[in-house]
Amino acid sequence: MEDLKLSQLTGSYPFLTPRSSSDHPAVNCPVENLLELAGALKEREGFDLLSDITCIDWFRSSPRFSAVYHFYSSIDHRYLRVVVPLQDDEHPRAPSLTGLWPAADWHEREAYDMFGVEFENHPDLRRILMWEGYDWHPLRKEFPLAGHDTELPDEEIRRESGTRVIPAPMEGGPFAASQERGIMSRSEPRGADESWNESKEKPQ
Amino acid sequence: MTIPGDEIGYDSRVEGGVVTSRLDAAINWVRGHSIWPMPMGLACCGIELMAVGASRFDIGRFGSEVMRFSPRQSDCMIVAGTVTYKMAPAVRRIYDQMAEPKWVIAMGACASTGGMYRSYATMQGVDRILPVDVYVSGCPPRPEALLDAFIQLQRKIAAEPSAKNLVPA
């Protein structure tokens, strides 16, 4: 049933290519056809709900960023995943879907905040989780988990407290208090991974 | 007054209706038994904080049942939850707006040390911007642990030179 739908889709919209997926039907869509496809999905195919927008950073390959859209049809009760490779590897751009689904607003702000994807014609493209003036996009692959040394968002508090945003300590992670292996509640596997911290360079 | 180390002498046969005490003890007695908390509920610890305020655990037994959502009216900020760098200036500003004397309880692993959030977004312990009086371990702590923190704070207040602090140095 779902495969049939997918082949119908790729038949109706020849710019789509099928994409392997382990759950929902998925297609690749070129960025220049995204608005056309989104409008058609909403008006003709019954995908009336935009469930999620996120992004993938395919570090060291080009095109580096892909925007990922999840559409849901409350009529047919099915999902469709649309993956859109974005052109520029440093300043990726995508058209905004806020004109079609108001839900796109905050999802796109999150993708902008975390990955730096610029959504064209977005009414209010500001950061949503990090603060204005933060210099990085934290979910990009080159961003270290510990973070970067920078200043607190508030000028007055910065002066009063003398505190900065500092990289979080990675050595001896939060679950690594015990070296004992075996029972998971006593030895968190992630905590035992010391392959990358202050004293060891991140392996390339 | 039941806090150990306090000196209140009273002998009704000798002194009649008069109680002698140190001014410190009297001030600290008043302060220690009406600590109005500023609930700074930032994450799941806030839920335990609500349980502490409800009837089962009843923080009112320690005189702290009056949760004030105005910093002007509260004495003790309970930082209950993960302090992100984005939230930290707001926490500090609310603390600055509280009137002296004021105290801070860092409730739970996140507020005390950053907890399991060793990440770019989380302040590694609220003591980087606030003077913390009592740290409570746990993730989140049991309500009893927070009540114990209040008892510890009462002990700490009982040892303060309050009368001396009233006079500007």
Side-chain angles (χ1 to χ4, degrees), chain A residues 52-175:
Chain A
D52 190 26
I53 300 176
T54 184
C55 189
I56 307 171
D57 180 356
W58 308 101
F59 193 43
R60 295 207 183 95
S61 55
S62 190
R64 178 173 164 188
F65 293 98
S66 296
V68 183
Y69 297 83
H70 287 95
F71 300 102
Y72 180 71
S73 165
S74 65
I75 300 150
D76 302 330
H77 307 295
R78 66 169 78 243
Y79 283 96
L80 176 69
R81 179 182 301 126
V82 176
V83 179
V84 182
L86 304 177
Q87 290 311 317
D88 194 317
D89 284 355
E90 204 43 48
H91 301 285
R93 302 179 78 79
S96 171
L97 299 189
T98 43
L100 291 161
W101 289 275
D105 188 339
W106 282 17
H107 288 313
E108 288 176 355
R109 281 179 63 188
E110 190 192 11
Y112 164 69
D113 190 357
M114 293 289 125
F115 292 96
V117 181
E118 308 243 344
F119 289 92
E120 287 146 2
N121 297 322
H122 190 284
D124 182 28
L125 194 63
R126 287 179 294 133
R127 285 178 176 273
I128 195 169
L129 294 168
M130 304 308 285
W131 56 92
E132 287 300 320
Y134 195 69
D135 275 344
W136 301 274
H137 298 289
L139 290 191
R140 288 192 174 190
K141 292 287 184 200
E142 79 270 16
F143 185 90
L145 177 64
H148 286 291
D149 190 302
T150 183
E151 291 187 318
L152 279 181
D154 189 290
E155 161 79 43
E156 185 189 354
I157 301 301
R158 187 188 308 164
R159 207 174 47 240
E160 287 287 315
S161 67
T163 305
R164 296 177 63 78
V165 176
I166 53 168
M170 290 290 122
E171 198 160 4
F175 301 105

